[in-house]
Amino acid sequence: MTPEIVSAFRKSSFSDQEGDCVETAATATEGTAVRDSKAVPVEPCLFFEAGAWTSFLGALKAERL
């Protein structure tokens, strides 16, 4: 079952100004919906549970160090 999106999508602060961006929104299950703004509304969103999203962000931050 697809979680309900309960907030507006917001653009990532790491996205560029030429329209290449990732957008995220909160879900009713306290997870995160992720989409490519150029593919909207054709492509579906990816949905992450809260713990999976936190782990994903932690891995990204670790890569930058």
Side-chain angles (χ1 to χ4, degrees), residues 4-65:
E4 177 186 6
I5 297 170
V6 295
S7 73
F9 277 90
R10 65 181 185 88
K11 184 176 178 178
S12 168
S13 60
F14 289 96
S15 296
D16 68 27
Q17 298 303 314
E18 296 179 24
D20 295 330
C21 64
V22 172
E23 297 176 328
T24 61
T27 67
T29 58
E30 298 184 6
T32 301
V34 181
R35 71 181 184 186
D36 176 353
S37 64
K38 291 190 303 184
V40 175
V42 178
E43 297 294 325
C45 297
L46 296 174
F47 293 95
F48 294 87
E49 293 180 1
W53 183 249
T54 300
S55 294
F56 174 70
L57 292 179
L60 289 177
K61 289 176 184 176
E63 285 290 317
R64 290 190 315 181
L65 299 178

